[in-house]
Amino acid sequence: MTDLSSTPSNSLLTEDKRTKKRNAAERRFRAFGLGAILVSCLMLVILLISIVSNGASSFKQTYMAFPVTISQEEFDAAEGSILKTGAYNKMLQSALTEYLTTNDLLGDATEDDVKNMISGEAAADVRRLLLANAAVIGTEIDFNLLANGRIDGYFKGRVTRETAALDTKITGAQLDLADRMTEDGSMVTRFNWSFFTNPDASVQRPEAAGLGVAILGSLYMMAVVLCLALPIGVAASIYLEEFAKKNWLTDVIEVNIANLAAVPSIVYGILGLAIFINFAELHQSSPLVGGLVLTLMTLPTIIISTRAALKSIPPSIRDAALGVGASKMQSVFHHVLPLAAPGILTGTIIGLAQALGETAPLLLIGMVAFVKEYPAAYSPELGLFGEASTALPVQIFNWTTRSDPAFVERASGAIITLLVFLLMMNALAIFLRKKFERRW
């Protein structure tokens, strides 16, 4: 007779050696996974702190405020030469020296010290003002003009008195004068809106460099990518998923689409250089060429994500539409496609975000040009097709190649701006997915 009260040696309530070993392996795997997540988060935090600490100061800029009298007699006597930038430099130097002397701020600073404290872009700003409004000639105007990049770096901690002693572009007397002007209120550091509106500046004027042209060029290229990649990618996906026969030809196409999604982006730059510039003879460095190259690069991503969204729709939706008399095309466009729209939009936005951050293909098609002015006076047609332009990631690359530390600061600020755009696009993708997503 069997004793039912006795516990078998292989009871599920008792862990044997194999079970203990398996549970221990599972705990180790969970620990490794948690550790990997923590290390990834730590590296991300370190990266963000590094970028923000180096680039946050680029959103502030030092300005000096003082009155400038634009003499009608000097303008008439110059017989037009006053329209040259050099004449405005002398005018600003004289006005600033007079202001400092009147307010007992000059100290032991020389005229050369005063001259070098003003940004070279300040004269160009005054010149543009007079060319746009000649009525201000003969009046006194209170200007807020850019200070020199070294003075700006002094207030941001990038320039110290120790480094100034070794720098030929700044002197201790200028730093003393900057301190006195700050106490007087004639020199302030405030938020730099012009960082988002100004075009690029020469290597001698880092304080005037901005992202205006780069942002406009990126918007042009994203418009081209959106207008071409979305309809072509969605149409190709619908055909392959809903209408194409499953044979060796479609298998080859699917394999090649998957391979194209993994091709390095620089290959697309070589392809764009060969087809759009050398063969089609489109304007080098134009946003149109950049948009076409990024369209080629984005298409595989959109096709793959769109096909995945179409596959996620239950077959019962198609069968129900066909059962009530709808044609194949009606079932796809009236039922399947609207239900797959959240996934399609999400994939499209992610593809656009990927294209927005690409640099290598744009470098190969020549979008590294120094662009000082906005293209074609804000004309979308000429700016899109015929004018040289740049983009945010290329502008970042361009600034990092310059030796002045102020451009490194500007590059970090541009990285922050680019990251904000990417976060906004990804947040929009998440919002659209959550808003229109349906669970089956």
Side-chain angles (χ1 to χ4, degrees), residues 292-355:
L292 291 173
V293 172
L294 295 180
T295 297
L296 295 177
M297 190 193 71
T298 309
L299 269 175
T301 302
I302 295 179
I303 292 175
I304 292 173
S305 62
T306 301
R307 294 193 65 188
L310 293 174
K311 287 179 180 179
S312 67
I313 306 301
S316 58
I317 300 295
R318 301 172 177 83
D319 296 338
L322 295 174
V324 296
S327 65
K328 179 68 173 178
M329 182 169 292
Q330 287 175 328
S331 69
V332 171
F333 285 93
H334 293 179
H335 301 279
V336 176
L337 192 59
L339 294 175
I344 295 173
L345 292 176
T346 300
T348 301
I349 294 174
I350 292 175
L352 289 175
Q354 177 188 2

XYZ file of all heavy atoms in Angstrom, residues 292-355:
457
model
N 16.578 65.377 -52.543
C 16.484 64.161 -53.354
C 17.364 63.040 -52.786
O 16.961 61.870 -52.754
C 16.894 64.473 -54.792
C 15.929 65.362 -55.596
C 16.539 65.721 -56.947
C 14.583 64.680 -55.784
N 18.555 63.403 -52.343
C 19.447 62.396 -51.750
C 18.837 61.834 -50.469
O 18.832 60.611 -50.248
C 20.832 63.012 -51.475
C 21.706 62.037 -50.689
C 21.520 63.371 -52.787
N 18.310 62.708 -49.635
C 17.694 62.236 -48.395
C 16.414 61.453 -48.667
O 16.046 60.564 -47.878
C 17.400 63.430 -47.481
C 18.633 64.189 -46.962
C 18.214 65.345 -46.079
C 19.571 63.263 -46.203
N 15.726 61.750 -49.769
C 14.546 60.971 -50.143
C 14.935 59.531 -50.449
O 14.269 58.576 -50.008
C 13.856 61.600 -51.360
O 13.386 62.921 -51.018
C 12.674 60.759 -51.823
N 16.009 59.349 -51.221
C 16.489 57.994 -51.508
C 16.845 57.251 -50.232
O 16.580 56.049 -50.099
C 17.708 58.053 -52.433
C 17.482 58.598 -53.842
C 18.815 58.656 -54.590
C 16.486 57.749 -54.599
N 17.421 57.954 -49.294
C 17.839 57.326 -48.054
C 16.649 56.994 -47.151
O 16.675 56.005 -46.405
C 18.803 58.254 -47.310
C 19.496 57.632 -46.122
S 20.300 58.876 -45.112
C 18.873 59.675 -44.402
N 15.589 57.799 -47.215
C 14.441 57.634 -46.324
C 13.431 56.629 -46.859
O 12.681 56.034 -46.075
C 13.758 59.001 -46.106
O 14.738 59.966 -45.727
C 12.700 58.928 -45.028
N 13.382 56.426 -48.166
C 12.375 55.548 -48.761
C 12.342 54.140 -48.157
O 11.253 53.636 -47.822
C 12.593 55.466 -50.277
C 11.835 56.483 -51.134
C 12.238 56.355 -52.595
C 10.329 56.297 -50.986
N 13.473 53.441 -48.008
C 13.393 52.098 -47.407
C 12.778 52.089 -46.015
O 12.008 51.186 -45.675
C 14.858 51.647 -47.376
C 15.527 52.436 -48.440
C 14.849 53.760 -48.437
N 13.091 53.093 -45.203
C 12.525 53.160 -43.857
C 11.014 53.318 -43.902
O 10.278 52.643 -43.157
C 13.155 54.329 -43.081
O 14.575 54.156 -43.034
C 12.603 54.404 -41.674
N 10.533 54.194 -44.778
C 9.088 54.418 -44.885
C 8.388 53.180 -45.436
O 7.309 52.792 -44.970
C 8.811 55.653 -45.755
C 9.346 56.913 -45.063
C 7.320 55.795 -46.041
C 9.136 58.185 -45.847
N 8.994 52.534 -46.419
C 8.373 51.335 -47.005
C 8.269 50.221 -45.972
O 7.222 49.573 -45.833
C 9.175 50.872 -48.237
C 9.044 51.896 -49.380
C 8.685 49.508 -48.706
C 9.896 51.582 -50.578
N 9.325 49.995 -45.220
C 9.318 48.916 -44.221
C 8.289 49.203 -43.125
O 7.516 48.327 -42.728
C 10.725 48.739 -43.639
C 11.671 48.183 -44.705
C 10.699 47.820 -42.427
C 13.122 48.122 -44.272
N 8.263 50.443 -42.621
C 7.315 50.779 -41.550
C 5.879 50.752 -42.057
O 4.966 50.327 -41.326
C 7.647 52.150 -40.973
O 7.533 53.160 -41.965
N 5.653 51.186 -43.307
C 4.297 51.165 -43.857
C 3.818 49.735 -44.060
O 2.658 49.398 -43.757
C 4.258 51.937 -45.183
O 4.677 53.286 -44.964
C 2.847 51.945 -45.759
N 4.663 48.850 -44.550
C 4.272 47.453 -44.723
C 3.983 46.799 -43.379
O 3.050 45.984 -43.260
C 5.376 46.699 -45.450
C 5.584 47.148 -46.888
C 6.461 46.180 -47.647
N 5.807 44.880 -47.770
C 6.417 43.799 -48.249
N 7.680 43.862 -48.626
N 5.771 42.659 -48.345
N 4.751 47.144 -42.372
C 4.476 46.603 -41.039
C 3.130 47.090 -40.516
O 2.389 46.325 -39.878
C 5.598 47.001 -40.084
N 2.806 48.368 -40.796
C 1.510 48.893 -40.364
C 0.364 48.210 -41.104
O -0.684 47.917 -40.515
C 1.469 50.402 -40.591
N 0.533 47.949 -42.395
C -0.511 47.261 -43.164
C -0.683 45.815 -42.695
O -1.806 45.301 -42.633
C -0.162 47.300 -44.652
C -0.179 48.684 -45.320
C 0.335 48.599 -46.745
C -1.585 49.273 -45.307
N 0.424 45.148 -42.365
C 0.339 43.768 -41.890
C -0.369 43.666 -40.548
O -0.951 42.626 -40.218
C 1.737 43.165 -41.770
C 2.394 42.833 -43.095
C 3.787 42.250 -42.864
C 4.461 41.920 -44.195
N 5.833 41.382 -43.993
N -0.309 44.740 -39.749
C -0.913 44.699 -38.417
C -2.436 44.758 -38.455
O -3.081 44.507 -37.434
C -0.370 45.856 -37.573
O -0.807 47.110 -38.094
N -3.031 45.112 -39.590
C -4.484 45.164 -39.707
C -5.015 43.743 -39.862
O -4.572 43.014 -40.760
C -4.908 46.044 -40.898
C -4.256 47.426 -40.798
C -6.424 46.162 -40.963
C -4.585 48.176 -39.543
N -5.961 43.315 -39.034
C -6.455 41.926 -39.110
C -7.065 41.605 -40.468
O -7.721 42.459 -41.085
C -7.530 41.879 -38.014
C -7.193 43.005 -37.097
C -6.580 44.067 -37.938
N -6.874 40.399 -40.970
C -7.483 40.014 -42.256
C -9.001 40.099 -42.242
O -9.625 40.235 -43.302
C -6.999 38.570 -42.452
C -5.782 38.451 -41.592
C -6.013 39.346 -40.429
N -9.612 40.014 -41.066
C -11.068 40.091 -40.999
C -11.599 41.418 -41.516
O -12.720 41.485 -42.031
C -11.533 39.872 -39.558
O -10.944 40.835 -38.690
N -10.820 42.492 -41.406
C -11.247 43.796 -41.934
C -11.369 43.712 -43.454
O -12.361 44.174 -44.042
C -10.245 44.895 -41.527
C -10.149 45.007 -40.003
C -10.631 46.236 -42.133
C -11.400 45.465 -39.324
N -10.374 43.129 -44.084
C -10.425 42.981 -45.542
C -11.569 42.048 -45.949
O -12.320 42.342 -46.898
C -9.092 42.444 -46.046
C -7.876 43.320 -45.727
C -6.586 42.602 -46.085
N -5.394 43.413 -45.872
C -4.787 43.554 -44.700
N -5.275 42.941 -43.620
N -3.707 44.297 -44.585
N -11.711 40.931 -45.240
C -12.753 39.965 -45.593
C -14.143 40.567 -45.430
O -15.043 40.321 -46.253
C -12.618 38.714 -44.723
C -11.306 37.983 -44.967
O -10.721 38.185 -46.051
O -10.865 37.222 -44.077
N -14.331 41.351 -44.378
C -15.639 41.967 -44.168
C -15.973 42.957 -45.275
O -17.112 43.012 -45.762
C -15.666 42.659 -42.809
N -14.961 43.742 -45.702
C -15.201 44.712 -46.774
C -15.514 44.006 -48.087
O -16.440 44.398 -48.821
C -13.986 45.623 -46.929
N -14.754 42.958 -48.375
C -15.003 42.210 -49.599
C -16.351 41.484 -49.529
O -17.044 41.309 -50.542
C -13.883 41.200 -49.841
C -12.491 41.790 -50.117
C -11.449 40.687 -50.190
C -12.490 42.593 -51.413
N -16.765 41.063 -48.329
C -18.008 40.338 -48.175
C -19.232 41.184 -48.421
O -20.297 40.647 -48.796
N -19.170 42.483 -48.216
C -20.328 43.359 -48.455
C -20.276 43.986 -49.847
O -21.028 44.914 -50.130
C -20.408 44.459 -47.385
C -20.643 43.863 -46.006
C -19.149 45.330 -47.379
N -19.367 43.503 -50.696
C -19.361 43.932 -52.083
C -18.302 44.944 -52.453
O -18.313 45.435 -53.598
N -17.400 45.293 -51.565
C -16.349 46.257 -51.905
C -15.311 45.595 -52.792
O -15.065 44.387 -52.705
C -15.682 46.791 -50.639
N -14.725 46.401 -53.668
C -13.641 45.894 -54.497
C -12.364 45.816 -53.678
O -12.295 46.303 -52.545
C -13.431 46.800 -55.711
O -12.985 48.081 -55.289
N -11.355 45.197 -54.256
C -10.070 45.091 -53.576
C -9.506 46.465 -53.261
O -9.019 46.716 -52.144
C -9.092 44.295 -54.446
C -7.700 44.137 -53.857
C -7.697 43.270 -52.630
C -6.278 42.986 -52.160
N -6.232 42.182 -50.936
N -9.576 47.391 -54.212
C -9.045 48.733 -53.995
C -9.862 49.475 -52.946
O -9.307 50.203 -52.103
C -9.023 49.505 -55.317
C -8.439 50.906 -55.205
S -8.131 51.666 -56.791
C -6.788 50.653 -57.395
N -11.181 49.314 -52.954
C -12.014 49.973 -51.957
C -11.714 49.448 -50.555
O -11.673 50.215 -49.588
C -13.490 49.775 -52.298
C -13.963 50.592 -53.485
C -15.394 50.277 -53.858
O -15.860 49.146 -53.691
N -16.109 51.275 -54.368
N -11.521 48.144 -50.431
C -11.216 47.594 -49.111
C -9.891 48.116 -48.580
O -9.742 48.351 -47.373
C -11.199 46.068 -49.181
O -10.085 45.607 -49.940
N -8.929 48.333 -49.487
C -7.620 48.832 -49.056
C -7.677 50.308 -48.694
O -7.252 50.723 -47.604
C -6.561 48.578 -50.150
C -5.246 49.283 -49.804
C -6.323 47.087 -50.318
N -8.236 51.118 -49.588
C -8.177 52.565 -49.391
C -9.264 53.078 -48.454
O -9.095 54.153 -47.858
C -8.270 53.275 -50.742
C -7.010 53.193 -51.547
C -6.823 52.179 -52.469
C -5.989 54.112 -51.362
C -5.654 52.091 -53.212
C -4.820 54.034 -52.095
C -4.645 53.017 -53.023
N -10.380 52.372 -48.317
C -11.445 52.849 -47.448
C -11.379 52.257 -46.047
O -11.967 52.821 -45.115
C -12.810 52.532 -48.066
C -13.078 53.289 -49.327
N -14.240 53.134 -50.055
C -12.342 54.195 -50.007
C -14.198 53.910 -51.135
N -13.054 54.565 -51.116
N -10.715 51.138 -45.870
C -10.725 50.470 -44.576
C -9.323 50.212 -44.043
O -9.005 50.595 -42.911
C -11.499 49.139 -44.687
C -12.914 49.316 -45.130
N -13.928 49.674 -44.290
C -13.490 49.177 -46.360
C -15.074 49.756 -44.944
N -14.829 49.457 -46.213
N -8.486 49.536 -44.827
C -7.169 49.142 -44.326
C -6.261 50.353 -44.148
O -5.630 50.528 -43.086
C -6.519 48.120 -45.280
C -5.115 47.779 -44.804
C -7.371 46.866 -45.362
N -6.167 51.191 -45.157
C -5.243 52.330 -45.104
C -5.574 53.305 -43.977
O -4.659 53.748 -43.258
C -5.211 53.041 -46.457
C -4.104 54.070 -46.653
C -2.741 53.423 -46.486
C -4.208 54.720 -48.027
N -6.846 53.704 -43.763
C -7.121 54.593 -42.621
C -6.740 53.976 -41.279
O -6.271 54.687 -40.378
C -8.638 54.819 -42.720
C -8.968 54.605 -44.152
C -8.048 53.508 -44.597
N -6.941 52.662 -41.126
C -6.589 52.026 -39.865
C -5.077 51.918 -39.691
O -4.571 51.899 -38.551
C -7.223 50.630 -39.793
C -8.759 50.603 -39.741
C -9.261 49.179 -39.791
C -9.264 51.313 -38.490
N -4.350 51.844 -40.798
C -2.884 51.763 -40.727
C -2.217 53.132 -40.693
O -0.984 53.208 -40.570
C -2.346 50.964 -41.918
N -3.000 54.196 -40.797
C -2.431 55.544 -40.873
C -1.531 55.900 -39.688
O -0.475 56.521 -39.881
C -3.547 56.578 -41.023
N -1.886 55.567 -38.428
C -0.975 55.916 -37.313
C 0.420 55.324 -37.476
O 1.420 56.010 -37.260
C -1.693 55.334 -36.084
C -3.124 55.284 -36.470
C -3.134 54.971 -37.932
N 0.496 54.047 -37.858
C 1.808 53.433 -38.061
C 2.557 54.044 -39.228
O 3.781 54.213 -39.174
N 1.821 54.398 -40.292
C 2.463 55.014 -41.450
C 3.021 56.386 -41.082
O 4.166 56.725 -41.429
C 1.459 55.127 -42.609
C 1.040 53.728 -43.081
C 2.045 55.930 -43.765
C -0.064 53.736 -44.113
N 2.224 57.187 -40.373
C 2.695 58.512 -39.970
C 3.876 58.412 -39.012
O 4.822 59.204 -39.096
C 1.543 59.283 -39.314
C 0.389 59.693 -40.238
C -0.723 60.358 -39.438
C 0.879 60.627 -41.331
N 3.826 57.446 -38.110
C 4.941 57.267 -37.183
C 6.226 56.920 -37.922
O 7.291 57.504 -37.673
C 4.612 56.170 -36.162
O 3.450 56.544 -35.428
C 5.768 55.962 -35.208
N 6.137 55.979 -38.857
C 7.319 55.615 -39.641
C 7.827 56.768 -40.481
O 9.048 56.955 -40.629
N 6.908 57.568 -41.028
C 7.320 58.718 -41.844
C 8.062 59.745 -41.004
O 9.114 60.269 -41.408
C 6.092 59.367 -42.493
O 5.427 58.398 -43.310
C 6.490 60.556 -43.343
N 7.532 60.050 -39.828
C 8.172 61.055 -38.974
C 9.539 60.569 -38.498
O 10.506 61.334 -38.442
C 7.257 61.389 -37.782
C 5.990 62.088 -38.293
C 7.978 62.276 -36.782
C 4.964 62.330 -37.227
N 9.637 59.280 -38.162
C 10.940 58.740 -37.758
C 11.927 58.806 -38.925
O 13.112 59.119 -38.747
C 10.778 57.301 -37.245
C 9.992 57.312 -35.933
C 12.127 56.632 -37.055
C 9.675 55.932 -35.399
N 11.454 58.514 -40.144
C 12.324 58.639 -41.315
C 12.778 60.064 -41.544
O 13.951 60.319 -41.875
N 11.867 61.031 -41.355
C 12.240 62.442 -41.505
C 13.244 62.853 -40.431
O 14.176 63.613 -40.706
C 10.990 63.324 -41.420
C 10.021 63.262 -42.601
C 8.788 64.090 -42.315
C 10.691 63.752 -43.879
N 13.046 62.366 -39.214
C 13.994 62.688 -38.148
C 15.378 62.123 -38.455
O 16.400 62.766 -38.195
C 13.474 62.140 -36.815
N 15.405 60.922 -39.014
C 16.692 60.341 -39.409
C 17.344 61.181 -40.505
O 18.559 61.440 -40.460
C 16.471 58.918 -39.897
C 17.736 58.229 -40.401
C 17.448 56.882 -41.047
O 16.296 56.475 -41.158
N 18.501 56.198 -41.469
N 16.553 61.619 -41.472
C 17.104 62.433 -42.562
C 17.580 63.789 -42.056
O 18.580 64.334 -42.541
C 16.050 62.614 -43.651
